[in-house]
Amino acid sequence: MKTKVSVIVPVYNVPKKYLEKCVSSLVNQTLNDIEIILVDDGTPNTSGKLCDGYAKKDSRIKVIHQENKGLCGARNTGVKSSTGEWISFVDGDDWIEPNAYEKLYNIGTKNNVDVVMFGYVKDYPSKSVIMHYDKYFENKKVYNTSEDIAYLQKMILNYNANCAMAPTKFIRKSVIEKYNIYHDEKLRQGAEGIEFNIRLFSKIKSALFLNETFYHYIYNDESITTVHNEKNHQMVIDCFKKIKGEINNDDSKIMGWFYNRMKYVILTTAISGYFSKSNKEPYKTQKRKFKKYMSDTLVQETLKSKNYQGLSTTRKVTLFFIKHRLFLLVKIISMVRTKQKSR
């Protein structure tokens, strides 16, 4: 028997306080007809046992234990075992507003669209930042022409449009199944949301944007996206190489947005990765390894690209420092950014 909404929650080393907040936000949804699929992705901590405990308290919770496959593999496992008309992804350390699925289900079904896009909030330790979309999307507009869908694909690559995340998409399961649009498990994680959405928006016939911020992205200074990890940096590069192969290289506009987005990747890798506080290696080692990262052909192509649309002055300056190998100045910027985020 089908449920209205299936919520897929990958769980791997999620701190108890975050996982409890996440699950609580789901079981307390105003839409009761949902199933919550917690995928224990071989987590070595107590997260898996916590999931089993939640399932005993609420019959709508289903727990799947599997060997570690990464974020993409966990999401795919959840989707393939789901029974919902609609699919939603929620990461185990994030949470969602209580009326989210009632509103999303009603507006998606009423307008008969393939995807409903919506907004999110970044929750830092002492502040929350609402991500803004008004400049790029029209509230409650149905995008259903070929030009509309092409525009949405470009906006996925537009960093400032804030629509690259898989969790901010409410998707008809039939679309995923019809076109076999699952996450690429070879990529595991990194820029997997962008890669998934590029493929998704190449197949859909319609989408609606709802200008409400339902999703709460929790800034966790111990998460994979905020801790230096060379393997993960390479995963991100691999994601973008696959994206490049999927988009139309003859469309100069979308290629411009592609290289524009890659500039943000390079900036993040430098500031939050190699030269960050989380990288305990000596500065000389940081510098040597980042030079090796810069030798990648895609990184070199990106640094030669002249599309700087939407980049702030600070980001443009930091890219200048990177291109001219002024790494000590990049490290100083990283230290300043770390202090700002911890406030």
Side-chain angles (χ1 to χ4, degrees):
M1 183 177 177
K2 279 194 173 184
T3 53
K4 289 181 177 178
V5 179
S6 294
V7 188
I8 315 303
V9 185
V11 178
Y12 184 83
N13 273 1
V14 181
K16 181 180 178 181
K17 64 177 181 179
Y18 294 130
L19 186 58
E20 286 185 342
K21 175 74 172 177
C22 175
V23 175
S24 176
S25 76
L26 298 175
V27 299
N28 290 308
Q29 286 291 307
T30 56
L31 179 67
N32 186 62
D33 188 11
I34 66 173
E35 67 172 351
I36 303 160
I37 303 176
L38 305 179
V39 183
D40 166 20
D41 193 37
T43 185
N45 72 356
T46 60
S47 298
K49 291 181 179 179
L50 289 172
C51 291
D52 290 333
Y54 299 139
K56 290 177 181 179
K57 296 177 182 178
D58 195 311
S59 61
R60 297 172 300 170
I61 297 177
K62 176 182 179 180
V63 181
I64 301 173
H65 300 283
Q66 68 178 27
E67 292 184 4
N68 181 256
K69 293 184 178 180
L71 180 62
C72 292
R75 285 178 177 170
N76 287 345
T77 295
V79 172
K80 290 174 183 178
S81 65
S82 66
T83 63
E85 297 173 48
W86 294 84
I87 297 293
S88 174
F89 299 109
V90 176
D91 290 344
D93 48 1
D94 298 334
W95 63 279
I96 197 157
E97 292 286 344
N99 63 347
Y101 294 129
E102 182 177 11
K103 286 191 173 184
L104 290 167
Y105 180 84
N106 287 340
I107 198 166
T109 303
K110 178 182 177 181
N111 289 277
N112 193 30
V113 293
D114 293 334
V115 175
V116 181
M117 305 164 60
F118 56 94
Y120 73 104
V121 180
K122 281 188 177 181
D123 289 334
Y124 293 98
S126 61
K127 65 180 180 180
S128 293
V129 179
I130 297 175
M131 312 311 290
H132 294 286
Y133 317 86
D134 295 353
K135 184 178 178 182
Y136 302 99
F137 306 107
E138 184 178 334
N139 187 37
K140 297 184 180 179
K141 175 182 175 179
V142 175
Y143 294 81
N144 57 9
T145 68
S146 58
E147 291 78 11
D148 284 341
I149 302 304
Y151 171 78
L152 294 178
Q153 271 201 304
K154 291 182 177 71
M155 290 305 98
I156 289 165
L157 294 169
N158 181 355
Y159 179 87
N160 295 307
N162 297 305
C163 68
M165 292 171 56
T168 58
K169 309 296 177 296
F170 191 65
I171 311 164
R172 281 193 188 273
K173 186 183 179 183
S174 58
V175 173
I176 294 175
E177 292 178 324
K178 180 178 180 179
Y179 297 107
N180 199 35
I181 308 172
Y182 294 93
H183 283 73
D184 187 338
E185 296 186 20
K186 292 180 181 178
L187 302 177
R188 292 181 68 89
Q189 60 222 7
E192 82 296 323
I194 301 176
E195 193 277 332
F196 171 80
N197 281 322
I198 286 289
R199 283 187 289 113
L200 175 66
F201 281 83
S202 72
K203 298 296 184 181
I204 64 171
K205 300 295 186 293
S206 59
L208 181 146
F209 176 74
L210 185 59
N211 193 22
E212 294 197 40
T213 48
F214 293 130
Y215 195 87
H216 286 257
Y217 171 85
I218 306 298
Y219 177 80
N220 174 9
D221 58 11
E222 295 181 358
S223 74
I224 194 166
T225 57
T226 55
V227 174
H228 172 63
N229 184 308
E230 289 182 64
K231 186 177 180 180
N232 193 53
H233 300 327
Q234 185 58 50
M235 286 181 190
V236 176
I237 291 291
D238 291 343
C239 276
F240 273 85
K241 286 181 178 178
K242 187 168 187 287
I243 291 167
K244 186 183 178 187
E246 288 165 355
I247 62 179
N248 183 2
N249 288 275
D250 294 328
D251 186 340
S252 60
K253 289 184 179 178
I254 198 168
M255 286 306 298
W257 283 115
F258 171 81
Y259 287 119
N260 185 271
R261 187 64 187 236
M262 261 302 299
K263 286 186 171 73
Y264 284 94
V265 170
I266 295 168
L267 285 165
T268 301
T269 303
I271 300 300
S272 300
Y274 286 95
F275 298 108
S276 70
K277 183 180 178 181
S278 67
N279 185 1
K280 305 302 182 182
E281 296 174 321
Y283 170 66
K284 286 185 178 180
T285 303
Q286 294 176 0
K287 188 168 62 171
R288 174 176 56 79
K289 289 187 174 181
F290 188 67
K291 284 181 179 179
K292 183 179 178 182
Y293 171 85
M294 288 179 63
S295 69
D296 183 273
T297 53
L298 182 55
V299 174
Q300 290 181 1
E301 285 176 22
T302 302
L303 291 174
K304 291 176 183 177
S305 168
K306 296 180 180 179
N307 186 353
Y308 290 89
Q309 186 174 345
L311 271 77
S312 65
T313 301
T314 301
R315 289 189 172 102
K316 289 178 183 177
V317 169
T318 307
L319 276 171
F320 177 87
F321 292 157
I322 289 171
K323 288 176 69 174
H324 292 83
R325 303 186 176 229
L326 303 172
F327 299 130
L328 186 58
L329 294 175
V330 176
K331 187 169 182 63
I332 292 170
I333 291 173
S334 175
M335 293 167 63
V336 172
R337 290 291 294 149
T338 301
K339 288 182 179 179
Q340 290 173 340
K341 286 184 178 181
S342 62
R343 289 174 185 169

